Amino acid sequence: QSALTQPASVSGSPGQSITISCTGTSSDVGSYNYVSWYQQHPGKAPKLMIYDVSNRPSGVSNRFSGSKSGNTASLTISGLQAEDEADYYCTSYISGSTLYVVFGGGTKLTVL
Amino acid sequence: QVQLVQSGAEVKKPGASVKVSCKASGYTFSTYAMHWVRQAPGQRLEWMAWINAGNGNTKYSQKFQGRVTITRDTSASTAYMELGSLRSEDTAIYYCARESPTWTFDSWGQGTLVTVSS
């Protein structure tokens, strides 16, 4: 099954910035702006953090930002806080298959 | 506020079927699509299926085609996911998620753990 590629883990100290990448193909990330990012704390449901590549839902801190270049999308978290420690997943719409939505493998963010 | 409340945990034997419900509140149910996503223990999220809550049209991941059926009851503001021919690999938490905006999941249910074990 197709999947987007994310680093397994990233870490940073409080106050620092980190970036998580999400690499797809021309069938998904590269061709559509339907890229979203979700935060998932252990035992909890995912929470939408970024949609349409770079838009933040109401209530999400402006420390979270998204971007895209070619087949790679990125999530940047600035001013790291302890509560940012969680798993982060990217998703994208995908064409040319009966999958429609593809997820990344997830990235574990550790705040040192 | 938008709320999606799912049915409780299930334990099923291999070969059986399971039906999970997702009751929506806080918005007009028929005006948003609903998706189903699962997460096996320690694994990535995996998209399964989609239903247009207004007209009942559905789309399924090819991986689950023939085994999964998504339905909805607009009078009860509830979506359902039925997965058949269960095997141990189907042990996972199953989530419903509202689509808003396009291909974005802005609200999620709390998840339903389905355990498949003999």
Side-chain angles (χ1 to χ4, degrees), chain B residues 6-7 18-22 36 79-82 94 112 114:
Chain B
Q6 299 182 222
S7 48
V18 68
K19 191 170 186 177
V20 179
S21 67
C22 170
W36 289 87
Y80 302 91
M81 186 282 299
E82 184 168 20
Y94 290 78
T112 297
V114 175

Side-chain angles (χ1 to χ4, degrees), chain B residues 34-103:
Chain B
M34 192 75 77
H35 294 250
W36 289 87
V37 175
R38 79 175 187 180
Q39 187 171 37
Q43 301 300 310
R44 71 176 68 198
L45 297 161
E46 181 176 34
W47 183 81
M48 297 179 68
W50 165 100
I51 186 167
N52 179 320
N55 61 21
N57 286 347
T58 54
K59 297 183 191 294
Y60 300 109
S61 166
Q62 187 170 21
K63 177 176 179 178
F64 302 100
Q65 193 88 33
R67 282 208 302 143
V68 67
T69 303
I70 307 296
T71 56
R72 95 286 188 224
D73 179 348
T74 55
S75 66
S77 297
T78 300
Y80 302 91
M81 186 282 299
E82 184 168 20
L83 184 63
S85 303
L86 289 169
R87 36 218 192 216
S88 58
E89 311 90 87
D90 294 318
T91 294
I93 297 174
Y94 290 78
Y95 294 100
C96 60
R98 189 183 80 159
E99 177 181 316
S100 178
T102 305
W103 300 111

Side-chain angles (χ1 to χ4, degrees), chain A residues 18-92:
Chain A
I18 63 94
T19 296
I20 300 171
S21 62
C22 170
T23 301
T25 69
S26 58
S27 295
D28 41 66
V29 175
S31 292
Y32 302 96
N33 287 328
Y34 299 131
V35 176
S36 305
W37 289 90
Y38 300 86
Q39 177 191 66
Q40 187 179 36
H41 287 108
K44 300 295 187 181
K47 174 187 175 184
L48 177 64
M49 305 303 286
I50 295 288
Y51 68 95
D52 293 352
V53 175
S54 59
N55 293 314
R56 263 189 323 274
S58 173
V60 171
S61 170
N62 59 10
R63 297 186 298 106
F64 292 82
S65 62
S67 62
K68 187 182 86 167
S69 177
N71 294 339
T72 299
S74 299
L75 173 71
T76 297
I77 308 173
S78 60
L80 271 179
Q81 299 179 0
E83 59 262 34
D84 298 333
E85 184 163 298
D87 292 327
Y88 291 84
Y89 292 90
C90 61
T91 74
S92 173

